[in-house]
PDB file of all heavy atoms in Angstrom:
ATOM      1  N   LEU U   1      60.211  63.333  65.966  1.00  0.00           N
ATOM      2  CA  LEU U   1      59.756  61.903  65.798  1.00  0.00           C
ATOM      3  C   LEU U   1      58.830  61.872  64.607  1.00  0.00           C
ATOM      4  O   LEU U   1      57.872  62.584  64.423  1.00  0.00           O
ATOM      5  CB  LEU U   1      59.021  61.512  67.028  1.00  0.00           C
ATOM      6  CG  LEU U   1      59.843  61.335  68.355  1.00  0.00           C
ATOM      7  CD1 LEU U   1      59.002  60.964  69.511  1.00  0.00           C
ATOM      8  CD2 LEU U   1      60.990  60.345  68.229  1.00  0.00           C
ATOM      9  N   THR U   2      59.110  60.795  63.710  1.00  0.00           N
ATOM     10  CA  THR U   2      58.291  60.675  62.560  1.00  0.00           C
ATOM     11  C   THR U   2      57.744  59.306  62.501  1.00  0.00           C
ATOM     12  O   THR U   2      58.438  58.238  62.568  1.00  0.00           O
ATOM     13  CB  THR U   2      59.145  60.893  61.233  1.00  0.00           C
ATOM     14  OG1 THR U   2      59.740  62.223  61.349  1.00  0.00           O
ATOM     15  CG2 THR U   2      58.275  60.795  60.024  1.00  0.00           C
ATOM     16  N   GLY U   3      56.366  59.197  62.602  1.00  0.00           N
ATOM     17  CA  GLY U   3      55.668  57.851  62.428  1.00  0.00           C
ATOM     18  C   GLY U   3      54.773  57.805  61.246  1.00  0.00           C
ATOM     19  O   GLY U   3      55.201  58.144  60.135  1.00  0.00           O
ATOM     20  N   LYS U   4      53.513  57.481  61.558  1.00  0.00           N
ATOM     21  CA  LYS U   4      52.548  57.456  60.384  1.00  0.00           C
ATOM     22  C   LYS U   4      51.184  57.843  60.912  1.00  0.00           C
ATOM     23  O   LYS U   4      50.739  57.231  61.751  1.00  0.00           O
ATOM     24  CB  LYS U   4      52.542  56.093  59.773  1.00  0.00           C
ATOM     25  CG  LYS U   4      51.729  55.950  58.498  1.00  0.00           C
ATOM     26  CD  LYS U   4      51.857  54.535  57.929  1.00  0.00           C
ATOM     27  CE  LYS U   4      51.210  54.473  56.542  1.00  0.00           C
ATOM     28  NZ  LYS U   4      51.362  53.124  55.938  1.00  0.00           N
ATOM     29  N   ASP U   5      50.760  58.998  60.390  1.00  0.00           N
ATOM     30  CA  ASP U   5      49.309  59.421  60.791  1.00  0.00           C
ATOM     31  C   ASP U   5      48.335  58.496  60.166  1.00  0.00           C
ATOM     32  O   ASP U   5      48.402  58.274  58.939  1.00  0.00           O
ATOM     33  CB  ASP U   5      49.065  60.891  60.479  1.00  0.00           C
ATOM     34  CG  ASP U   5      49.652  61.327  59.209  1.00  0.00           C
ATOM     35  OD1 ASP U   5      50.825  61.061  58.881  1.00  0.00           O
ATOM     36  OD2 ASP U   5      48.851  61.994  58.438  1.00  0.00           O
ATOM     37  N   SER U   6      47.423  58.056  61.080  1.00  0.00           N
ATOM     38  CA  SER U   6      46.386  57.071  60.573  1.00  0.00           C
ATOM     39  C   SER U   6      45.243  57.211  61.609  1.00  0.00           C
ATOM     40  O   SER U   6      45.247  57.876  62.520  1.00  0.00           O
ATOM     41  CB  SER U   6      46.986  55.729  60.551  1.00  0.00           C
ATOM     42  OG  SER U   6      47.551  55.380  61.858  1.00  0.00           O
ATOM     43  N   HIS U   7      44.122  56.490  61.166  1.00  0.00           N
ATOM     44  CA  HIS U   7      42.859  56.604  61.807  1.00  0.00           C
ATOM     45  C   HIS U   7      42.910  56.038  63.249  1.00  0.00           C
ATOM     46  O   HIS U   7      43.362  54.889  63.404  1.00  0.00           O
ATOM     47  CB  HIS U   7      41.731  55.921  61.028  1.00  0.00           C
ATOM     48  CG  HIS U   7      40.387  56.361  61.398  1.00  0.00           C
ATOM     49  ND1 HIS U   7      39.716  56.044  62.586  1.00  0.00           N
ATOM     50  CD2 HIS U   7      39.423  57.020  60.577  1.00  0.00           C
ATOM     51  CE1 HIS U   7      38.578  56.537  62.572  1.00  0.00           C
ATOM     52  NE2 HIS U   7      38.373  57.107  61.339  1.00  0.00           N
ATOM     53  N   THR U   8      42.467  56.862  64.192  1.00  0.00           N
ATOM     54  CA  THR U   8      42.552  56.377  65.632  1.00  0.00           C
ATOM     55  C   THR U   8      41.550  55.193  65.904  1.00  0.00           C
ATOM     56  O   THR U   8      41.826  54.371  66.823  1.00  0.00           O
ATOM     57  CB  THR U   8      42.211  57.447  66.583  1.00  0.00           C
ATOM     58  OG1 THR U   8      40.859  58.000  66.313  1.00  0.00           O
ATOM     59  CG2 THR U   8      43.212  58.661  66.563  1.00  0.00           C
ATOM     60  N   GLY U   9      40.536  55.116  65.084  1.00  0.00           N
ATOM     61  CA  GLY U   9      39.512  54.096  65.325  1.00  0.00           C
ATOM     62  C   GLY U   9      39.780  52.817  64.666  1.00  0.00           C
ATOM     63  O   GLY U   9      39.399  51.682  65.184  1.00  0.00           O
ATOM     64  N   SER U  10      40.417  52.876  63.500  1.00  0.00           N
ATOM     65  CA  SER U  10      40.491  51.609  62.700  1.00  0.00           C
ATOM     66  C   SER U  10      41.809  51.099  62.477  1.00  0.00           C
ATOM     67  O   SER U  10      41.980  50.066  61.809  1.00  0.00           O
ATOM     68  CB  SER U  10      39.834  51.946  61.198  1.00  0.00           C
ATOM     69  OG  SER U  10      40.553  53.008  60.743  1.00  0.00           O
ATOM     70  N   THR U  11      42.814  51.597  63.202  1.00  0.00           N
ATOM     71  CA  THR U  11      44.190  51.138  63.052  1.00  0.00           C
ATOM     72  C   THR U  11      44.509  50.287  64.333  1.00  0.00           C
ATOM     73  O   THR U  11      44.421  50.815  65.392  1.00  0.00           O
ATOM     74  CB  THR U  11      45.193  52.304  62.966  1.00  0.00           C
ATOM     75  OG1 THR U  11      44.877  53.232  61.883  1.00  0.00           O
ATOM     76  CG2 THR U  11      46.629  51.725  62.793  1.00  0.00           C
ATOM     77  N   PRO U  12      44.730  49.013  64.104  1.00  0.00           N
ATOM     78  CA  PRO U  12      45.007  48.099  65.292  1.00  0.00           C
ATOM     79  C   PRO U  12      46.193  48.679  66.058  1.00  0.00           C
ATOM     80  O   PRO U  12      47.195  49.249  65.581  1.00  0.00           O
ATOM     81  CB  PRO U  12      45.331  46.793  64.585  1.00  0.00           C
ATOM     82  CG  PRO U  12      44.690  46.846  63.306  1.00  0.00           C
ATOM     83  CD  PRO U  12      44.800  48.228  62.858  1.00  0.00           C
ATOM     84  N   MET U  13      46.188  48.441  67.448  1.00  0.00           N
ATOM     85  CA  MET U  13      47.216  49.012  68.262  1.00  0.00           C
ATOM     86  C   MET U  13      48.586  48.378  67.922  1.00  0.00           C
ATOM     87  O   MET U  13      49.621  49.178  67.972  1.00  0.00           O
ATOM     88  CB  MET U  13      46.931  48.546  69.698  1.00  0.00           C
ATOM     89  CG  MET U  13      45.624  49.232  70.301  1.00  0.00           C
ATOM     90  SD  MET U  13      45.632  51.055  70.283  1.00  0.00           S
ATOM     91  CE  MET U  13      46.809  51.279  71.642  1.00  0.00           C
ATOM     92  N   SER U  14      48.640  47.235  67.444  1.00  0.00           N
ATOM     93  CA  SER U  14      49.913  46.560  67.145  1.00  0.00           C
ATOM     94  C   SER U  14      50.542  47.027  65.736  1.00  0.00           C
ATOM     95  O   SER U  14      51.722  46.818  65.540  1.00  0.00           O
ATOM     96  CB  SER U  14      49.786  45.039  67.085  1.00  0.00           C
ATOM     97  OG  SER U  14      48.875  44.663  66.010  1.00  0.00           O
ATOM     98  N   MET U  15      49.675  47.813  65.091  1.00  0.00           N
ATOM     99  CA  MET U  15      50.189  48.269  63.705  1.00  0.00           C
ATOM    100  C   MET U  15      50.444  49.783  63.652  1.00  0.00           C
ATOM    101  O   MET U  15      50.590  50.331  62.556  1.00  0.00           O
ATOM    102  CB  MET U  15      49.193  47.823  62.680  1.00  0.00           C
ATOM    103  CG  MET U  15      48.956  46.295  62.553  1.00  0.00           C
ATOM    104  SD  MET U  15      47.685  45.720  61.431  1.00  0.00           S
ATOM    105  CE  MET U  15      48.485  46.263  59.897  1.00  0.00           C
ATOM    106  N   ARG U  16      50.393  50.369  64.837  1.00  0.00           N
ATOM    107  CA  ARG U  16      50.479  51.817  64.916  1.00  0.00           C
ATOM    108  C   ARG U  16      52.010  52.289  64.867  1.00  0.00           C
ATOM    109  O   ARG U  16      52.785  51.692  65.506  1.00  0.00           O
ATOM    110  CB  ARG U  16      49.725  52.501  65.996  1.00  0.00           C
ATOM    111  CG  ARG U  16      48.289  52.166  65.969  1.00  0.00           C
ATOM    112  CD  ARG U  16      47.551  52.730  67.208  1.00  0.00           C
ATOM    113  NE  ARG U  16      46.099  52.378  67.118  1.00  0.00           N
ATOM    114  CZ  ARG U  16      45.186  53.159  67.651  1.00  0.00           C
ATOM    115  NH1 ARG U  16      45.483  54.316  68.138  1.00  0.00           N
ATOM    116  NH2 ARG U  16      43.900  52.834  67.417  1.00  0.00           N
ATOM    117  N   LYS U  17      52.190  53.499  64.306  1.00  0.00           N
ATOM    118  CA  LYS U  17      53.513  54.091  64.455  1.00  0.00           C
ATOM    119  C   LYS U  17      53.202  55.493  64.938  1.00  0.00           C
ATOM    120  O   LYS U  17      53.048  56.535  64.259  1.00  0.00           O
ATOM    121  CB  LYS U  17      54.193  54.253  63.076  1.00  0.00           C
ATOM    122  CG  LYS U  17      54.644  52.910  62.508  1.00  0.00           C
ATOM    123  CD  LYS U  17      55.398  53.052  61.249  1.00  0.00           C
ATOM    124  CE  LYS U  17      55.840  51.700  60.764  1.00  0.00           C
ATOM    125  NZ  LYS U  17      56.629  51.713  59.465  1.00  0.00           N
ATOM    126  N   ASN U  18      53.053  55.547  66.357  1.00  0.00           N
ATOM    127  CA  ASN U  18      52.419  56.722  67.101  1.00  0.00           C
ATOM    128  C   ASN U  18      53.508  57.624  67.564  1.00  0.00           C
ATOM    129  O   ASN U  18      54.131  57.282  68.569  1.00  0.00           O
ATOM    130  CB  ASN U  18      51.598  56.215  68.220  1.00  0.00           C
ATOM    131  CG  ASN U  18      50.820  57.269  68.890  1.00  0.00           C
ATOM    132  OD1 ASN U  18      51.049  58.440  68.797  1.00  0.00           O
ATOM    133  ND2 ASN U  18      49.852  56.840  69.654  1.00  0.00           N
ATOM    134  N   ALA U  19      53.724  58.735  66.824  1.00  0.00           N
ATOM    135  CA  ALA U  19      54.789  59.674  67.232  1.00  0.00           C
ATOM    136  C   ALA U  19      54.447  60.314  68.599  1.00  0.00           C
ATOM    137  O   ALA U  19      55.266  60.665  69.404  1.00  0.00           O
ATOM    138  CB  ALA U  19      54.968  60.742  66.220  1.00  0.00           C
ATOM    139  N   GLY U  20      53.128  60.428  68.933  1.00  0.00           N
ATOM    140  CA  GLY U  20      52.724  61.015  70.243  1.00  0.00           C
ATOM    141  C   GLY U  20      53.087  60.114  71.361  1.00  0.00           C
ATOM    142  O   GLY U  20      53.595  60.580  72.410  1.00  0.00           O
ATOM    143  N   LEU U  21      53.065  58.748  71.245  1.00  0.00           N
ATOM    144  CA  LEU U  21      53.449  57.899  72.196  1.00  0.00           C
ATOM    145  C   LEU U  21      54.910  57.974  72.462  1.00  0.00           C
ATOM    146  O   LEU U  21      55.464  57.896  73.524  1.00  0.00           O
ATOM    147  CB  LEU U  21      53.025  56.455  71.840  1.00  0.00           C
ATOM    148  CG  LEU U  21      53.466  55.360  72.755  1.00  0.00           C
ATOM    149  CD1 LEU U  21      52.938  55.567  74.176  1.00  0.00           C
ATOM    150  CD2 LEU U  21      53.027  53.977  72.227  1.00  0.00           C
ATOM    151  N   GLY U  22      55.722  58.178  71.369  1.00  0.00           N
ATOM    152  CA  GLY U  22      57.148  58.284  71.478  1.00  0.00           C
ATOM    153  C   GLY U  22      57.501  59.612  72.218  1.00  0.00           C
ATOM    154  O   GLY U  22      58.323  59.496  73.149  1.00  0.00           O
ATOM    155  N   MET U  23      56.740  60.685  72.090  1.00  0.00           N
ATOM    156  CA  MET U  23      57.034  61.886  72.912  1.00  0.00           C
ATOM    157  C   MET U  23      56.726  61.654  74.284  1.00  0.00           C
ATOM    158  O   MET U  23      57.521  62.097  75.214  1.00  0.00           O
ATOM    159  CB  MET U  23      56.206  63.096  72.349  1.00  0.00           C
ATOM    160  CG  MET U  23      56.431  64.317  73.135  1.00  0.00           C
ATOM    161  SD  MET U  23      55.562  65.741  72.516  1.00  0.00           S
ATOM    162  CE  MET U  23      53.909  65.376  72.988  1.00  0.00           C
ATOM    163  N   ALA U  24      55.591  60.923  74.607  1.00  0.00           N
ATOM    164  CA  ALA U  24      55.322  60.626  75.951  1.00  0.00           C
ATOM    165  C   ALA U  24      56.393  59.888  76.662  1.00  0.00           C
ATOM    166  O   ALA U  24      56.757  60.101  77.919  1.00  0.00           O
ATOM    167  CB  ALA U  24      53.932  59.855  75.994  1.00  0.00           C
ATOM    168  N   ARG U  25      56.898  58.849  76.062  1.00  0.00           N
ATOM    169  CA  ARG U  25      57.956  58.062  76.730  1.00  0.00           C
ATOM    170  C   ARG U  25      59.271  58.796  76.797  1.00  0.00           C
ATOM    171  O   ARG U  25      59.955  58.661  77.796  1.00  0.00           O
ATOM    172  CB  ARG U  25      58.188  56.740  75.822  1.00  0.00           C
ATOM    173  CG  ARG U  25      56.941  55.829  75.904  1.00  0.00           C
ATOM    174  CD  ARG U  25      57.167  54.501  75.401  1.00  0.00           C
ATOM    175  NE  ARG U  25      55.994  53.658  75.547  1.00  0.00           N
ATOM    176  CZ  ARG U  25      55.819  52.453  74.937  1.00  0.00           C
ATOM    177  NH1 ARG U  25      56.809  51.962  74.143  1.00  0.00           N
ATOM    178  NH2 ARG U  25      54.744  51.732  75.193  1.00  0.00           N
ATOM    179  N   ILE U  26      59.568  59.667  75.824  1.00  0.00           N
ATOM    180  CA  ILE U  26      60.788  60.517  75.951  1.00  0.00           C
ATOM    181  C   ILE U  26      60.585  61.513  77.098  1.00  0.00           C
ATOM    182  O   ILE U  26      61.511  61.888  77.760  1.00  0.00           O
ATOM    183  CB  ILE U  26      61.154  61.075  74.672  1.00  0.00           C
ATOM    184  CG1 ILE U  26      61.664  60.095  73.618  1.00  0.00           C
ATOM    185  CG2 ILE U  26      62.265  62.142  74.822  1.00  0.00           C
ATOM    186  CD1 ILE U  26      61.914  60.485  72.264  1.00  0.00           C
ATOM    187  N   THR U  27      59.333  62.006  77.276  1.00  0.00           N
ATOM    188  CA  THR U  27      59.099  62.898  78.347  1.00  0.00           C
ATOM    189  C   THR U  27      59.367  62.243  79.678  1.00  0.00           C
ATOM    190  O   THR U  27      60.060  62.868  80.606  1.00  0.00           O
ATOM    191  CB  THR U  27      57.587  63.288  78.396  1.00  0.00           C
ATOM    192  OG1 THR U  27      57.239  64.010  77.097  1.00  0.00           O
ATOM    193  CG2 THR U  27      57.200  64.293  79.562  1.00  0.00           C
ATOM    194  N   GLU U  28      59.009  61.006  79.789  1.00  0.00           N
ATOM    195  CA  GLU U  28      59.329  60.219  81.121  1.00  0.00           C
ATOM    196  C   GLU U  28      60.874  60.113  81.125  1.00  0.00           C
ATOM    197  O   GLU U  28      61.412  60.243  82.318  1.00  0.00           O
ATOM    198  CB  GLU U  28      58.747  58.939  80.972  1.00  0.00           C
ATOM    199  CG  GLU U  28      57.179  58.807  81.219  1.00  0.00           C
ATOM    200  CD  GLU U  28      56.906  58.940  82.713  1.00  0.00           C
ATOM    201  OE1 GLU U  28      57.845  59.070  83.574  1.00  0.00           O
ATOM    202  OE2 GLU U  28      55.735  58.964  83.101  1.00  0.00           O
ATOM    203  N   LEU U  29      61.591  59.872  80.064  1.00  0.00           N
ATOM    204  CA  LEU U  29      62.958  59.721  80.079  1.00  0.00           C
ATOM    205  C   LEU U  29      63.643  61.019  80.500  1.00  0.00           C
ATOM    206  O   LEU U  29      64.565  60.993  81.309  1.00  0.00           O
ATOM    207  CB  LEU U  29      63.526  59.354  78.664  1.00  0.00           C
ATOM    208  CG  LEU U  29      65.022  59.395  78.539  1.00  0.00           C
ATOM    209  CD1 LEU U  29      65.725  58.335  79.409  1.00  0.00           C
ATOM    210  CD2 LEU U  29      65.374  58.989  77.016  1.00  0.00           C
ATOM    211  N   VAL U  30      63.176  62.172  80.024  1.00  0.00           N
ATOM    212  CA  VAL U  30      63.784  63.481  80.506  1.00  0.00           C
ATOM    213  C   VAL U  30      63.633  63.637  81.940  1.00  0.00           C
ATOM    214  O   VAL U  30      64.573  64.059  82.640  1.00  0.00           O
ATOM    215  CB  VAL U  30      63.051  64.599  79.698  1.00  0.00           C
ATOM    216  CG1 VAL U  30      63.401  65.957  80.250  1.00  0.00           C
ATOM    217  CG2 VAL U  30      63.369  64.540  78.189  1.00  0.00           C
ATOM    218  N   HIS U  31      62.475  63.226  82.498  1.00  0.00           N
ATOM    219  CA  HIS U  31      62.211  63.343  83.896  1.00  0.00           C
ATOM    220  C   HIS U  31      63.170  62.477  84.692  1.00  0.00           C
ATOM    221  O   HIS U  31      63.742  62.881  85.657  1.00  0.00           O
ATOM    222  CB  HIS U  31      60.803  63.039  84.243  1.00  0.00           C
ATOM    223  CG  HIS U  31      60.370  63.234  85.684  1.00  0.00           C
ATOM    224  ND1 HIS U  31      60.237  64.448  86.244  1.00  0.00           N
ATOM    225  CD2 HIS U  31      60.232  62.368  86.676  1.00  0.00           C
ATOM    226  CE1 HIS U  31      59.926  64.337  87.460  1.00  0.00           C
ATOM    227  NE2 HIS U  31      59.889  63.070  87.846  1.00  0.00           N
ATOM    228  N   GLU U  32      63.306  61.221  84.265  1.00  0.00           N
ATOM    229  CA  GLU U  32      64.184  60.305  84.892  1.00  0.00           C
ATOM    230  C   GLU U  32      65.646  60.756  84.869  1.00  0.00           C
ATOM    231  O   GLU U  32      66.363  60.654  85.848  1.00  0.00           O
ATOM    232  CB  GLU U  32      64.170  58.872  84.091  1.00  0.00           C
ATOM    233  CG  GLU U  32      62.845  58.159  84.329  1.00  0.00           C
ATOM    234  CD  GLU U  32      62.824  56.892  83.499  1.00  0.00           C
ATOM    235  OE1 GLU U  32      63.915  56.554  82.820  1.00  0.00           O
ATOM    236  OE2 GLU U  32      61.747  56.366  83.335  1.00  0.00           O
ATOM    237  N   ILE U  33      66.076  61.325  83.797  1.00  0.00           N
ATOM    238  CA  ILE U  33      67.446  61.839  83.733  1.00  0.00           C
ATOM    239  C   ILE U  33      67.748  63.017  84.703  1.00  0.00           C
ATOM    240  O   ILE U  33      68.658  63.009  85.367  1.00  0.00           O
ATOM    241  CB  ILE U  33      67.820  62.306  82.237  1.00  0.00           C
ATOM    242  CG1 ILE U  33      67.835  61.079  81.262  1.00  0.00           C
ATOM    243  CG2 ILE U  33      69.112  63.152  82.272  1.00  0.00           C
ATOM    244  CD1 ILE U  33      67.933  61.485  79.834  1.00  0.00           C
ATOM    245  N   ALA U  34      66.773  63.936  84.750  1.00  0.00           N
ATOM    246  CA  ALA U  34      66.823  64.957  85.730  1.00  0.00           C
ATOM    247  C   ALA U  34      66.766  64.542  87.158  1.00  0.00           C
ATOM    248  O   ALA U  34      67.653  64.985  88.051  1.00  0.00           O
ATOM    249  CB  ALA U  34      65.772  66.061  85.562  1.00  0.00           C
TER     250      ALA U  34
END
């Protein structure tokens, strides 16, 4: 997953491209599929 690394404190939530959040949601998907 490729997003954009940026400052955790000064980047608004609505403007983030958070690859870690994508992994978290795909982790849930993997569990759901199993």
Side-chain angles (χ1 to χ4, degrees):
L1 294 175
T2 306
K4 189 173 185 178
D5 38 311
S6 52
H7 199 292
T8 56
S10 56
T11 307
M13 297 297 288
S14 61
M15 299 176 68
R16 299 178 179 213
K17 295 183 178 180
N18 186 345
L21 178 59
M23 182 178 71
R25 292 188 178 171
I26 293 175
T27 301
E28 286 282 0
L29 174 62
V30 168
H31 186 76
E32 289 173 12
I33 292 171

